[in-house]
């Protein structure tokens, strides 16, 4: 709960993110009483709009988007939203903004607390930041925080360039780099499940865990985002941020406390200690492109951009010696789901279960279903010693009384409260770019070893072979669920 | 599956056990094709019956007892049953039995395989055994096995006396001492769950387990069994056999294989290494008697027999250092249920969860519901770091397509197949009697510290205090289930 008044400014106020995520998230926070009337949301955009017309647009958006839309509540909420017309690439406009914000502060008895959310291209981050500073918009009596929507740069070099500027202007503690995956309920839950259960914390190591699988699958292709995507690819778009962040949470050493920097200290160690065989001919790092990608709108017809990545990596730490972490992500796959799968070793006790026991699996279901799946062996009823598996399948998002919060609700709240735990610190971003940059440099090899896969398939065959040659397979939640139905 | 013909003789053929358990179990085995037509069941009794009238009685019993009773099947099955009238206390009658059995063998092309099931008072075990040997009933070309219904003796001395005789006559490998709890589905499952799941086997020790609770509760009083019960009591009737056997399975070291003697070797070590503070004033061993017990039929009005026992014990082994095993059993309690509860330690990682995390619980539900309950902590949805518990509650006996087999089905089958794993070896029985005898000797103290409890209650207050003074409590499955409903 934010006690002091503040101005929350969004650069990119007419963009998709603002319409689909940010304003709806503010609305939910307001509805639940987690955000008070002392916040002024200033949406900045080039288009001709007034605050009134802008608010009307959102009434329509929210009416459509939110089941139990409350008009009366919206009337109270929408007066917090203001539209400010400006071109954020035009220096002069910042002077207008300066006066506008001072006036807003004065009108609302504000304390000078300001948050600037840059929902723009990363290339604009330095310029906007410089202008905010140069034109005095950061000289207030209150706090000034900057939020940078992902991606934070396009590669190691650009990220470093951006960071050099913005960190000097705002200072690291005031910078919130968005990785909205970190705001997802079940990503937040990784720490909870792992560390608050003796039964998991005690076996979270190489002695008991056989391998870890992290999958983030999208069923759609690039759709209208071909222009952006073709300059990025799955590695930059997904692995560099979401997948590495998830991996870091799964693999990190227990932090001394859950305070922001203790957690980040441990996460960054994981990313720095990640080992991947980047020699593409060994096929432990696989790039794939779905058939038809080159024909997508705004995509280079000769594009070598990957729409799929799978890789095997190792965390260089005593806890994880010899335990592979398999990552995969891609577009145009056979489902839209994200999950972390911990596959435990099969117990070979008593020379009894070598053939019949199946590995315990702990699955953290990130989306679309949120919850925990857990599989154990038990004796098949009536049999002497034949085993079967039974599963716990806890689905928190299936509860009809429960509206799964959007990641941005939690993130906006944390920004307003000054809690940066669910945001990525510069050294995390930098080390993730360092890792990813190693692979992106090998342009020739990438072309040679690029695999292809059908739209709507489970990805390139090479991704399956990656596990098969280790005697493993990608576990599929749907398969497991039907297995359980048959068994139990 | 038994290949060779055999004669299965039951002493006590007109007793409750035969009517309610043994013949129904044979019927089920037959129905499922696990017992062939080459078995002759000879029920021995003093009463005037013919095989025909005896079979008719069972038709009525089974019709009533079994839902989908199959008359046609029963017609095929019942010809296997024979009634033989004799007084097993009369020496001369054994000569008749001798001739009858030889004739039966001849009629059925038998190979001389014989099983003698002594469903009698243990005081009759030696005499019957001696007669069987003396009159030549064991001199056959086939195997001769003896099954002894529980209890095997009334105390250490009587058990040793009985055993000296019967073991000389039959030899330990041919002796099957019944503890029908070992035939229950979920008791058999203890080994499977424990050893085939990495997630449990790896934490099955003092580092991760806080305590173990074994409860066997009966809701009825002594009913018509007061005469027997008053000379026995809960310690002899339940603890000496069922509870110690369960404890042995939970606490034993992994056997090198699951072969009969490897398992028994490990079980007996547990019983031998069990430490209980037998000084009753310390209240770590609690005797209770329900109010009204002294007025029960055939019970001594001044009876000091306990109908309830609770105790705290330790297994003297590195694995279990400092881990209390709490046992309790009794009649006239607030429910009829048996279960093993493994309470894990609360993880204190990161100074985060001391207050909010609840212990992981693994509950093996033995009866009436059979299954596994398992509880973990997870983040409460929407909250920042508040925990809640969610549970897996696998109920294998709830499956409408599944008829939970009676323990005796498995046990009879094992006897016929010559597998003694689910029966107790002499050294197990002896060491259990040794332990129990230590407590029963203190008659004066027992009278002084005998507690009392209401019929239908959760037992004497002292039983709860036993755990409370350790900062613990008896977990109740019903409470846990409602907790889960509230949480998830």
């Amino acid at each position: 709960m934010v006690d002091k008044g503040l101005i929350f400014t969004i650069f990119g106020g007419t963009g998709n993110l603002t319409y689909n995520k940010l304003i709806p998230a503010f609305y939910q926070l307001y509805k639940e009483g987690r955000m008070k009337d002392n916040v002024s949301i200033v949406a900045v955009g080039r288009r001709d709009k007034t605050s009134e017309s802008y608010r009307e647009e959102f009434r329509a958006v929210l009416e459509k988007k939110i089941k139990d839309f409350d008009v009366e509540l919206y009337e109270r909420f929408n007066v917090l939203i203001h539209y400010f017309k400006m071109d954020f690439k035009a220096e002069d406009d910042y002077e207008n903004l300066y006066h506008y914000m001072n006036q807003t502060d004065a009108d609302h008895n504000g304390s000078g607390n300001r948050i600037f959310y840059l929902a723009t291209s990363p290339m604009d981050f330095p310029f906007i930041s410089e202008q905010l500073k140069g034109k005095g918009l950061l000289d207030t009596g209150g706090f000034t925080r900057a939020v940078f929507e992902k991606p934070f740069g396009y590669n190691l070099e650009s990220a470093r360039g951006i960071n050099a500027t913005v960190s000097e202007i705002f200072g690291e503690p005031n910078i919130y780099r968005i990785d909205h995956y970190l705001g997802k309920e079940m990503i937040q839950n990784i720490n909870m499940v792992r560390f608050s259960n003796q039964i998991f914390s005690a076996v979270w190591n190489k002695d008991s865990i056989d391998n870890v699988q992290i999958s983030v699958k999208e069923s759609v292709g690039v759709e209208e985002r071909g222009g952006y995507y073709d300059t990025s690819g799955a590695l930059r778009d997904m692995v560099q941020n979401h997948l590495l962040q998830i991996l870091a949470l799964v693999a990190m050493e227990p932090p001394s406390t859950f305070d922001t920097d203790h957690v980040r200290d441990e996460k960054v160690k994981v990313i720095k200690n990640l080992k991947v065989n980047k020699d593409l001919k060994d096929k432990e790092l696989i790039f794939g492109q779905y058939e038809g990608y080159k024909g997508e709108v705004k995509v280079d017809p000769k594009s070598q951009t990957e729409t799929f990545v799978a890789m095997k990596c190792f965390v260089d730490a005593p806890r994880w010696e010899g335990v592979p972490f398999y990552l995969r992500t891609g577009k145009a796959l056979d489902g839209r789901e994200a999950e972390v799968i911990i596959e435990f070793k099969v117990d070979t006790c008593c020379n009894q279960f070598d053939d019949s026991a199946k590995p315990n699996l702990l699955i953290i279901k990130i989306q679309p279903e949120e919850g925990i799946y857990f599989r154990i062996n038990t004796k098949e009823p009536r049999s002497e010693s034949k085993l079967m598996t039974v599963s716990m399948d806890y689905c928190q998002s299936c509860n009809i009384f429960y509206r799964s919060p959007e990641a941005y609700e939690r993130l906006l709240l944390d920004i307003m409260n000054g809690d940066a735990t669910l945001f990525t610190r510069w050294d995390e971003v930098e080390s993730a770019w360092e890792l990813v940059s190693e692979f992106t440099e090998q342009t020739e090899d990438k072309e040679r070893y690029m695999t292809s896969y059908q739209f709507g398939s489970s990805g390139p065959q090479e991704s399956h072979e990656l596990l098969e040659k280790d005697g493993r397979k990608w576990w599929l939640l749907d398969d497991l669920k039907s297995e359980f139905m048959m068994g139990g």
Side-chain angles (χ1 to χ4, degrees), chain A:
Chain A
M1 190 68 78
V2 181
D3 286 326
K4 290 181 186 165
L6 71 85
I7 304 176
F8 197 116
T9 305
I10 305 169
F11 288 90
T14 57
N16 279 336
L17 186 79
T18 306
Y19 280 90
N20 294 328
K21 299 290 180 187
L22 299 184
I23 302 287
F26 277 121
Y27 170 81
Q28 293 290 358
L29 292 175
Y30 186 78
K31 185 180 169 189
E32 290 167 9
R34 302 165 93 180
M35 181 182 117
K36 286 203 264 183
D37 290 311
N38 55 4
V39 179
S40 299
I41 302 166
V42 176
V44 167
R46 268 193 307 173
R47 296 186 202 167
D48 261 329
K49 291 178 201 287
T50 63
S51 288
E52 286 68 32
S53 69
Y54 191 69
R55 289 170 190 166
E56 281 309 305
E57 285 179 53
F58 276 104
R59 182 195 302 269
V61 168
L62 294 173
E63 260 176 352
K64 205 168 163 184
K65 195 179 178 79
I66 292 169
K67 267 187 198 163
D68 51 347
F69 180 69
D70 183 336
V71 182
E72 208 177 311
L73 182 88
Y74 184 72
E75 295 299 331
R76 291 201 304 277
F77 168 70
N78 78 9
V79 298
L80 309 183
I81 306 177
H82 309 272
Y83 184 77
F84 186 79
K85 181 174 182 297
M86 71 172 273
D87 177 359
F88 63 65
K89 295 188 180 181
E91 291 191 21
D92 292 348
D93 283 8
Y94 287 86
E95 281 172 30
N96 299 334
L97 184 62
Y98 171 81
H99 294 297
Y100 176 76
M101 295 191 83
N102 285 351
Q103 189 59 47
T104 305
D105 247 358
D107 290 350
H108 294 84
N109 228 348
S111 52
N113 290 336
R114 291 178 187 179
I115 295 170
F116 298 95
Y117 194 121
L118 278 61
T120 67
S121 155
M123 305 317 281
D124 297 319
F125 293 169
F127 179 79
I128 297 173
S129 302
E130 282 163 354
Q131 291 303 315
L132 292 175
K133 183 176 173 64
K135 300 298 190 299
L137 282 92
L138 307 182
D139 300 330
T140 73
F143 62 68
T144 49
R145 297 175 188 152
V147 186
F148 297 103
E149 186 50 46
K150 78 148 205 169
F152 195 83
Y154 293 118
N155 53 30
L156 180 59
E157 199 187 353
S158 62
R160 280 184 175 153
I162 292 165
N163 194 64
T165 305
V166 304
S167 70
E168 202 192 311
I169 291 171
F170 293 99
E172 180 66 29
N174 296 310
I175 292 177
Y176 295 75
R177 292 175 197 83
I178 291 269
D179 184 332
H180 71 272
Y181 259 63
L182 297 183
K184 287 182 185 285
E185 273 290 323
M186 295 310 296
I187 303 272
Q188 297 175 46
N189 209 345
I190 291 173
N191 277 343
M192 304 291 149
V193 169
R194 175 181 169 190
F195 292 118
S196 77
N197 293 294
Q198 172 71 224
I199 201 119
F200 297 134
S201 59
V203 295
W204 211 263
N205 56 53
K206 65 173 187 288
D207 296 327
S208 291
I209 292 178
D210 181 82
N211 73 91
V212 176
Q213 302 178 10
I214 300 172
S215 291
V216 179
K217 291 162 71 173
E218 294 178 276
S219 55
V220 296
V222 290
E223 299 188 315
E224 75 280 13
R225 291 176 68 237
Y228 156 71
Y229 195 86
D230 204 38
T231 64
S232 168
L235 195 65
R236 290 184 172 98
D237 190 49
M238 299 294 287
V239 177
Q240 187 271 339
N241 37 60
H242 308 327
L243 275 84
L244 291 185
Q245 283 292 321
I246 297 172
L247 188 154
L249 283 170
V250 171
M252 72 178 183
E253 291 301 308
S256 53
T257 75
F258 274 6
D259 291 348
T260 305
D261 277 324
H262 288 148
V263 173
R264 289 168 157 190
D265 286 345
E266 295 304 335
K267 278 164 63 194
V268 77
K269 275 188 222 163
V270 173
I271 299 171
K272 281 183 189 295
N273 289 323
L274 211 55
K275 305 295 172 201
V276 188
N277 177 351
K278 63 177 181 176
D279 192 338
L280 296 186
K281 77 170 177 335
D282 293 337
K283 297 191 175 176
E284 299 192 349
L285 168 63
I286 289 143
F287 292 105
Q289 189 184 78
Y290 65 82
E291 291 168 13
Y293 172 74
K294 292 185 177 70
E296 297 275 18
V297 179
K298 292 192 190 168
V299 166
D300 179 353
K302 290 181 177 170
S303 174
Q304 284 300 317
T305 300
E306 78 285 359
T307 62
F308 179 96
V309 179
M311 61 171 78
K312 173 180 175 178
C313 30
F314 291 93
V315 178
D316 193 6
R319 176 185 297 272
W320 297 117
E321 206 184 326
V323 180
F325 286 72
Y326 299 103
L327 314 186
R328 64 172 168 171
T329 185
K331 288 187 176 292
L333 293 173
D334 54 357
R336 173 186 168 262
E337 57 182 69
E339 69 234 345
V340 177
I341 300 183
I342 313 289
E343 177 179 341
F344 292 89
K345 291 186 173 170
V346 173
D347 201 291
T348 53
C349 166
C350 326
N351 297 305
Q352 186 70 15
F353 303 118
D354 304 7
D355 301 325
S356 57
K358 293 186 180 159
N360 293 143
L361 298 174
L362 170 67
I363 304 185
I364 298 175
K365 299 180 289 181
I366 298 166
Q367 68 177 30
E369 205 174 287
E370 297 173 357
I372 298 165
Y373 172 98
F374 181 53
R375 181 176 91 163
I376 63 172
N377 294 294
T378 180
K379 189 177 83 71
E380 191 176 288
R382 313 188 74 78
S383 83
E384 198 169 322
S385 60
K386 206 174 152 194
L387 290 174
M388 58 178 243
T389 54
V390 295
S391 309
M392 160 179 165
D393 192 7
Y394 166 63
C395 173
Q396 77 176 35
S397 54
C398 298
N399 188 325
I400 53 164
F401 299 109
Y402 169 64
R403 184 188 65 84
S404 190
E406 291 281 340
Y408 279 98
E409 294 172 33
R410 172 67 190 272
L411 297 176
L412 291 179
L413 197 63
D414 284 358
I415 295 164
M416 293 191 282
N417 287 331
D419 180 353
T421 311
L422 299 183
F423 301 82
T424 45
R425 199 170 58 188
W426 167 243
D427 53 354
E428 295 181 76
V429 176
E430 185 179 36
S431 50
W433 274 127
E434 276 170 358
L435 185 78
V436 166
S437 297
E438 284 182 44
F439 313 144
T440 47
E441 284 159 9
Q442 342 168 36
T443 333
E444 268 181 46
D445 265 8
K446 195 172 158 190
E447 195 160 341
R448 186 182 312 155
Y449 291 105
M450 178 71 76
T451 66
S452 129
Y453 60 102
Q454 282 200 315
F455 200 111
S457 72
S458 62
Q461 182 54 29
E462 286 78 355
S463 152
H464 296 288
E465 287 164 4
L466 172 67
L467 274 75
E468 278 160 19
K469 64 189 174 191
D470 293 344
R472 300 186 176 104
K473 64 172 179 176
W474 293 106
W475 294 100
L476 273 179
L477 198 53
D478 282 346
D479 290 356
L480 292 167
K481 284 183 179 176
S482 60
E483 173 190 286
F484 172 55
M485 293 305 291
M486 290 172 65

